[in-house]
Amino acid sequence: MYEKYWILRELIYSSQSLTSFSATVLLFGHCSALHNFLFNYSSIRTMDHEEKKTDDSQSGTEVHTSSGEVSECSGTTEKASESKKRKSSEPVDVPSTSGAETNNQLPPWVAGGSPARFISSDDLLKMSLAMDNLALVHEIAIDPNFSVSEIPKNPIEAAVKENMYRAYWDILSEDLRKDPPDYTHAFNLLMEIKQTILEDILSPAHVRLRAEVDSMLDENTLRNKLEQNCLDVPGIGRFIVGLLGRLCAPERDTLVEKLRHEEGIVELIKGIFGLIDIMKNDLTNYTISQNRDAVEEYSAQFEYKEFLKFLDKFPDGSAQTKEWLKLSYHEAFPSTSLTNSEPEAKREKVEERPPSDDEVIKSTSKGYLRLVQSQSPSPFPETMRIDKVRLCALAEKFLQMNIVTSAVFVACNLAGKQVSESEGFKKSLKDQLIIITNDIEEKNIVATVEAVCEQCVSTVKKCASDLGVEIQVDQEKMLREQIKAIADEHNAIRALVFTRISTFVDEMLCSPSEVPRRLLPGLSVIQSEICAFTARLLRICIHNRRTFFELYRKILKEVIETDVL
C-alpha cells in the first residue's frame, strides 16, 4: 500500500501537478481509494525517495520495491534496484480529515477560485419537475398519437405496482374477516372515491350529479353508520358503479356490468378504483386530443422562454446552433454570399435587411436535413437537443432507406428485365431487405450489406428459377460485387439514391403543404417508408421552427452581416 502512496506523492510533487494528479485518480479508479489516500497522506508525506529493502527468510515470498515492481525470491534475499528520483516542485499539503490541520485549504488548482455554491434539494426537485413538464409537453406536441397508457410500460414499475396493490388489498381483506368486521378502512376508501369523483371525474357543470354524490356519500352520515356498525358498503358500492356507468365511455360497459354483479367487498372496491383510473385516462386522452393545438402553442412558447433563460445565464449557449445555421444558409444560398468585392452601397443595403421568411425556412430545412443524413451530425444545435434521440432514430431510417433502395436498384439492373418486372419482385425484395437492415448503423454497415447481398442473390435466383431464366455465374459474381460496393458512401448508386431521398425530404420541409408531391424516379419502391419517415421528421421540424423562428432569424441576420464584413 505504501508504494501506491509513494507514487501519488511523486506525481503530486512533480511539475505536472494537475495532469499527473488527475491521471493518478484515474489509476486508482475508486473514490474510496482516493479518500484513503487523502486521509493517510499527512502521515506519510515525509517518506524518503529511496527504495525500501525487504528481507524475507521464507522461500517463494514477494518483495515490493519502491518502483512498484514485484519479484519472487527463492531461498535468498534479492536487493531491489534503486528507483530514480524525480525532480519535484515545492510540495503542497493536502489537508487530512484527522483534524490536525484544520486551517489548510485545498489548492486553487484543485478547489477552483470561485466561492462555494449551495444547491438545495428543493431547487433540484423544481428543476427536475420543470424538465419533466417540458419533456411531457414537447412529447404531446410532436406526437399526434400520444396517449396516456393504462398499464406502465416499464415492467419493473408494473411489477412493483402490482405487489404494492396486492399488499394493500390484503390488509382490507384482513379487516373484513375480523369478528365483527372492521369497516374503518373501507370507510376511508369510500371517502377517497368520493373525492376523486368530485375532483377528477365530474366537471363544475355536473351540478345535479355532484349534489347526488354529496348526498349519498355524506361523510358525517356514513361515519355515524360506521360507529353504529350498520354501514352498507356493498349498497354504496353499487351506487358508485351505477354512477360511473353513466359517465364512462361505451366501451367500458362490459367492465361496469361485471362490477354490478360483484358480491365481494374487496373485489368491488378494487374494481371501482380500477374503473376510475381507466376513466381518468380516457378523460385525459380526450382532453389532449381536443386541445392539441393549444398544447402545441403552449409548448412552443414554454420551450422558447426556457431557452432564453438558458442564454441569459450562458451567452455562448447557442454556439452550435449558430454554426449549424451558418452551414445550412451557405448550402441553401451558395451564390448569394457577398464578398468584399461587392459595392459598399450594396453591402450596407444587405446589412439593413433582415432575413426573409423564405430564407429562414430554406436555411432551417437544409439544417434539419443535415441532422438525419448522418448518425453523428456535427455541429448539433442546442435547440434540437430535446429531440436528439428521435433524430438519431430517423438518421438510422435514412441510412436504411438508402441502402435498401440502392440494393434493389442493383439487383433489378443485373437480374434483367424479365425478373425485375415480374409481379411483386421489387416489393418482396424490399420487404425482405427492410427486415435485414432494421438495426443498421454506420459502424456495422459492412456486415449488414453482406447480409443484404446474400438475400438479393437468393431472391434473384429463386425468381429467375420460377420464370425459367438462367442466372450466369459471371452475372451472380457481378451482382455480389456491386451490392457489396454499396457499403462505401461514395458509391455512385448509393450517392444517387442519397441525393434523391434528400431532395424529396428537403422539398417537403420547405413547403409542408397537403398538396401531393411526386416521388423522384426509383423511390416508389420505398414509398411507404419514405412517407412515414418524412411525416415523423416534419412533426419535429415544424414544431422546432415555430418555437425558435425568431431566434433563427436573428442568428441568420448575424451570419449575413458577418459574411458581408
Side-chain angles (χ1 to χ4, degrees):
M1 182 175 67
Y2 284 103
E3 284 71 21
K4 292 182 179 179
Y5 292 148
W6 187 87
I7 295 172
L8 285 170
R9 177 179 180 272
E10 286 289 307
L11 291 173
I12 294 177
Y13 282 3
S14 66
S15 58
Q16 302 174 352
S17 56
L18 181 57
T19 305
S20 301
F21 185 73
S22 301
T24 307
V25 173
L26 294 176
L27 177 65
F28 265 63
H30 299 284
C31 294
S32 58
L34 180 59
H35 173 75
N36 292 334
F37 160 68
L38 294 176
F39 185 80
N40 297 287
Y41 181 78
S42 59
S43 62
I44 64 169
R45 65 176 183 268
T46 57
M47 290 178 59
D48 190 70
H49 289 199
E50 295 181 357
E51 64 176 2
K52 293 177 60 182
K53 299 180 181 180
T54 306
D55 296 332
D56 199 326
S57 59
Q58 298 180 356
S59 175
T61 58
E62 295 181 349
V63 176
H64 294 262
T65 65
S66 59
S67 60
E69 298 177 351
V70 179
S71 60
E72 293 187 359
C73 299
S74 57
T76 60
T77 304
E78 297 180 359
K79 295 183 178 180
S81 60
E82 183 177 358
S83 60
K84 297 181 179 180
K85 296 183 179 180
R86 303 181 183 180
K87 295 181 180 180
S88 60
S89 59
E90 189 67 17
V92 179
D93 287 342
V94 178
S96 67
T97 58
S98 60
E101 301 175 357
T102 56
N103 295 327
N104 290 343
Q105 296 181 353
L106 286 174
W109 50 268
V110 175
S114 60
R117 297 181 180 179
F118 300 93
I119 301 178
S120 65
S121 58
D122 291 340
D123 293 337
L124 293 177
L125 289 176
K126 290 179 181 178
M127 184 182 301
S128 176
L129 181 60
M131 294 303 297
D132 289 342
N133 291 339
L134 177 62
L136 178 61
V137 174
H138 183 79
E139 182 72 24
I140 296 173
I142 67 171
D143 186 2
N145 300 318
F146 178 85
S147 63
V148 180
S149 176
E150 299 175 9
I151 303 175
K153 296 181 180 180
N154 189 333
I156 298 178
E157 180 183 352
V160 171
K161 180 179 179 180
E162 180 182 356
N163 284 281
M164 292 294 292
Y165 278 25
R166 185 185 299 113
Y168 186 82
W169 297 118
D170 288 345
I171 295 175
L172 178 60
S173 299
E174 292 177 1
D175 291 342
L176 297 178
R177 283 197 297 265
K178 294 179 180 179
D179 188 17
D182 184 1
Y183 291 106
T184 304
H185 194 186
F187 168 79
N188 294 331
L189 293 177
L190 291 177
M191 292 298 99
E192 184 178 344
I193 291 173
K194 173 188 175 181
Q195 183 180 3
T196 304
I197 292 175
L198 293 176
E199 295 181 358
D200 298 336
I201 303 297
L202 297 178
S203 67
H206 293 112
V207 179
R208 294 180 60 185
L209 289 178
R210 297 177 76 90
E212 186 177 352
V213 171
D214 284 330
S215 175
M216 291 296 298
L217 297 176
D218 181 67
E219 182 176 358
N220 294 329
T221 303
L222 296 182
R223 188 178 297 277
N224 291 333
K225 292 183 178 181
L226 174 65
E227 295 173 353
Q228 298 171 9
N229 294 326
C230 60
L231 182 63
D232 184 13
V233 177
I236 299 174
R238 285 191 291 270
F239 162 76
I240 295 174
V241 171
L243 175 66
L244 297 178
R246 287 183 282 170
L247 297 172
C248 68
E251 62 181 12
R252 310 300 179 189
D253 289 345
T254 304
L255 180 57
V256 173
E257 191 64 25
K258 180 181 177 181
L259 289 176
R260 282 176 176 158
H261 296 86
E262 186 63 59
E263 296 181 357
I265 295 179
V266 176
E267 295 300 325
L268 178 61
I269 297 179
K270 181 179 178 181
I272 290 174
F273 273 102
L275 179 59
I276 289 177
D277 287 341
I278 293 175
M279 292 177 63
K280 288 166 66 176
N281 283 346
D282 292 342
L283 288 172
T284 301
N285 293 330
Y286 174 77
T287 304
I288 291 174
S289 63
Q290 294 298 310
N291 300 277
R292 180 167 294 279
D293 293 339
V295 172
E296 292 178 1
E297 183 65 26
Y298 172 77
S299 175
Q301 296 175 1
F302 184 59
E303 290 179 47
Y304 186 64
K305 180 181 178 181
E306 292 299 316
F307 192 76
L308 291 182
K309 290 181 180 178
F310 171 75
L311 291 182
D312 289 339
K313 295 183 179 180
F314 304 97
D316 295 333
S318 61
Q320 294 290 315
T321 303
K322 293 178 180 179
E323 184 65 22
W324 170 70
L325 269 181
K326 180 179 179 180
L327 295 175
S328 304
Y329 175 77
H330 290 160
E331 184 179 356
F333 304 97
S335 60
T336 57
S337 299
L338 297 177
T339 61
N340 291 331
S341 60
E342 296 288 344
E344 186 70 22
K346 187 174 183 179
R347 282 189 285 168
E348 291 179 357
K349 183 178 180 181
V350 173
E351 290 179 16
E352 296 174 357
R353 179 185 62 83
S356 63
D357 291 352
D358 184 63
E359 287 178 318
V360 177
I361 291 174
K362 288 185 177 180
S363 299
T364 52
S365 297
K366 289 292 184 182
Y368 296 141
L369 185 60
R370 289 171 59 90
L371 298 179
V372 296
Q373 287 177 332
S374 171
Q375 290 186 315
S376 54
S378 180
F380 196 96
E382 293 86 353
T383 54
M384 298 290 290
R385 289 288 172 84
I386 195 171
D387 292 311
K388 189 170 185 178
V389 175
R390 297 182 181 88
L391 291 173
C392 288
L394 289 174
E396 180 180 319
K397 293 301 177 183
F398 188 96
L399 178 61
Q400 181 187 39
M401 291 189 298
N402 193 357
I403 295 298
V404 169
T405 308
S406 302
V408 173
F409 276 9
V410 174
C412 290
N413 181 51
L414 294 178
K417 181 178 180 180
Q418 188 175 355
V419 174
S420 61
E421 292 185 352
S422 62
E423 184 179 359
F425 172 76
K426 291 182 180 179
K427 185 179 184 305
S428 175
L429 179 60
K430 183 263 298 184
D431 292 340
Q432 295 168 5
L433 298 185
I434 287 291
I435 296 174
I436 294 175
T437 57
N438 260 337
D439 297 325
I440 191 172
E441 295 180 0
E442 292 176 353
K443 60 183 179 182
N444 66 356
I445 190 170
V446 175
T448 305
V449 168
E450 289 181 357
V452 167
C453 174
E454 295 300 325
Q455 185 62 43
C456 288
V457 172
S458 175
T459 304
V460 168
K461 292 174 68 175
K462 182 178 182 303
C463 184
S465 176
D466 295 340
L467 296 174
V469 178
E470 183 180 358
I471 301 296
Q472 301 295 330
V473 177
D474 293 342
Q475 191 176 0
E476 179 181 341
K477 181 180 178 181
M478 187 178 300
L479 176 61
R480 292 180 182 275
E481 291 177 352
Q482 291 194 15
I483 291 182
K484 289 182 179 179
I486 296 174
D488 182 9
E489 63 179 346
H490 301 294
N491 177 266
I493 300 297
R494 180 177 168 183
L496 175 64
V497 175
F498 179 91
T499 302
R500 290 184 179 180
I501 296 176
S502 300
T503 302
F504 175 79
V505 175
D506 183 49
E507 290 177 355
M508 294 298 297
L509 290 173
C510 288
S511 55
S513 60
E514 297 182 358
V515 179
R517 292 190 174 274
R518 178 177 175 271
L519 285 173
L520 296 178
L523 298 185
S524 57
V525 68
I526 56 167
Q527 178 176 349
S528 58
E529 287 76 15
I530 196 172
C531 289
F533 170 87
T534 308
R536 291 174 59 190
L537 181 62
L538 275 175
R539 294 288 304 182
I540 297 173
C541 298
I542 290 175
H543 179 75
N544 180 267
R545 183 185 287 156
R546 177 170 55 183
T547 302
F548 299 103
F549 192 88
E550 292 304 322
L551 177 65
Y552 291 156
R553 188 197 297 274
K554 180 181 178 182
I555 293 176
L556 282 178
K557 187 175 185 297
E558 296 176 0
V559 170
I560 295 174
E561 291 175 354
T562 303
D563 289 344
V564 171
L565 296 177

